[in-house]
Amino acid sequence: MGIGHLRYPTAGTSANAEAQPFYVNYPYGICFAHNGNLINAPKLKKFLDEDAHRHINTDSDSELMLNIMANELGITGKARVNSDDIFAALSRMYDRLEGGYACTAMLAGYGIIGFRDPYGIRPLVLGSRPSASGDGIDYMMASESVALRQSGYRREDIQDILPGQAVIIPKGRPPIFSQVHRMLGYNPDIFEYCYFARPDAIIDGISVHQSRENMGHCLGDRISKVLTAQQLDEIDVVMPIPETSNTSAPCVAARLKKPYCQGFVKNRYVFRTFIMPAQKSREKGVRRKLNAMEEQFIGKNVLLVDDSIVRGTTSREIVNMAKEAGARKVFFGSAAPRIRFPHIYGIDLASPSELIAHKRDDDAIALHIGAEKVIFQELEDLKKACVQAVCTDSTARKDQEFEVGVFNGEYVTPVPPNYFEHLEKIRGETRKMKVMESAREAVANGSADQEEIQMATNGVEVNGDGKVVPAPAHNTNGSPLVNGGGVRNHVDRKRKHAGDEDESSPPKHRMDIGLHNQADFEDNEV
């Protein structure tokens, strides 16, 4: 038995202390991994502190969930629990949680547990296969079916965990299912189909690949309506922005009856740039991630197709690269609608103020990224593209809906008052360390601009909009502000012997340091 985790943090930080799975030894020894985001984390933290008297070490909502689960299991007061006890504890746990989540847990010596939020926002599948050892059955859970398929699980032996459903796989015994909470909807996050999931995955009976092909057809129709006849005639070639739009772009080209070709080569060793903490690192990341093939651009008017436009950083750099490679005009199509609102269920896109479509119309967006025209998918067309991608061996759900809050601000779950302000503050705080390190690297490499020099010298702080900005040069007593340590303070502390105390050092981010996260506190400032 075992559980693992590959999620990058959302409302928490990327410190080693928040690496999953989490573990508590009381009661019963629980190991826990979580994909998603809770929107009532402050309320849960208060409950754990004041009522359950359980200490929380990190800012991770995953640790909160683990301790809520542990608290509910502890109510039994038994030396050993059974499946009914676990299902009852999960039912009480669901009554406290708000948000989107898919979770796996392991009780020491007992078995594996999996469960999913009542709306089915975050995906979770279970598969079975004959054991490789020849005895019994192997079971596996994951967010995407492709993880199981690549591990030898057959498609017909993979099933979705339903919204509000939990499964327990006791050691050496078959799974036990229970609907621990009433299904409040079946609203998978549509951004999984737009961007996040692998194209060969099947999520809730919907083929990601087919949904993206359908998005391309719908976007092609939309482009035909938005562009003038002259603009359509000007387009010489349609190109994808690798890799997610590789599926949609050929369908756009087919719909418009235009040639299709690859114009960019993706560096497979550079990953998603939209989750990088700072603007400059995202811009540099785009250049490292993509390389334009000049022979495909010279003298042509190109229509670039991307899966979405988030901050516009990537899009602007790509348009610049296309023009530098010789393109005369660049049109830009997005297979997703305008992203105007934050994602609150486990995909850390950006703050509203950073989203390029927030308070901008299409012409302003086109001007910002340097394109002749920007064309976005319509939300209803996106929904239709996904609904029509139901696999042949699955049954289409009547009145299928999706979580689409990033596009229209209408979220599946009720959102607590002041939650977005809380989210902005948390995001800003968690970016501070990364932005600080990035500024120091730039100074060390001799490529820092004035703002990065100020950050490296004086540290950083979070302003009222949740943005990370340089801290003031000095505090009231004239000494350097060390919110990031500053260059001199950082160097001075490194020169000290290991046992020396630095009275001016700021308090550490967390009070408790365990063996698993000690590296986070060695010569690191927050």
Side-chain angles (χ1 to χ4, degrees), residues 113-125:
I113 304 166
F115 56 96
R116 192 177 179 190
D117 69 79
Y119 293 94
I121 298 171
R122 299 258 63 85
L124 185 64
V125 294

Side-chain angles (χ1 to χ4, degrees), residues 418-429:
N418 303 320
Y419 173 73
F420 294 109
E421 291 80 358
H422 165 76
L423 188 62
E424 288 304 293
K425 182 179 179 181
I426 291 294
R427 279 176 169 160
E429 290 292 335

Side-chain angles (χ1 to χ4, degrees), residues 149 153-159 202 205 207 390-394:
R149 292 298 304 278
Y153 290 79
R154 299 185 305 172
R155 177 168 167 171
E156 57 267 29
D157 295 326
I158 299 173
Q159 65 184 96
I202 295 173
S207 164
V390 174
C391 299
T392 54
D393 55 357
S394 300

Side-chain angles (χ1 to χ4, degrees), residues 485-516:
V487 173
R488 186 167 58 189
N489 282 359
H490 181 67
V491 173
D492 288 346
R493 274 197 294 279
K494 279 197 170 185
R495 289 174 179 167
K496 288 179 178 289
H497 294 293
D500 289 348
E501 294 292 331
D502 185 351
E503 294 180 0
S504 66
S505 295
K508 299 301 184 185
H509 186 49
R510 300 185 179 91
M511 295 173 62
D512 294 348
I513 304 178
L515 291 178
H516 70 288

Side-chain angles (χ1 to χ4, degrees), residues 459-472:
V460 296
E461 63 184 17
V462 181
N463 66 13
D465 295 327
K467 292 182 178 180
V468 180
V469 297

Side-chain angles (χ1 to χ4, degrees), residues 1 7 22 24 32 61 94 140 201 303 369 420 425 430 432:
M1 295 191 302
R7 171 184 175 247
F22 280 98
V24 291
F32 189 89
D61 55 352
Y94 270 67
M140 180 177 176
L303 168 61
I369 69 172
F420 294 109
K425 182 179 179 181
T430 57
K432 282 166 62 174

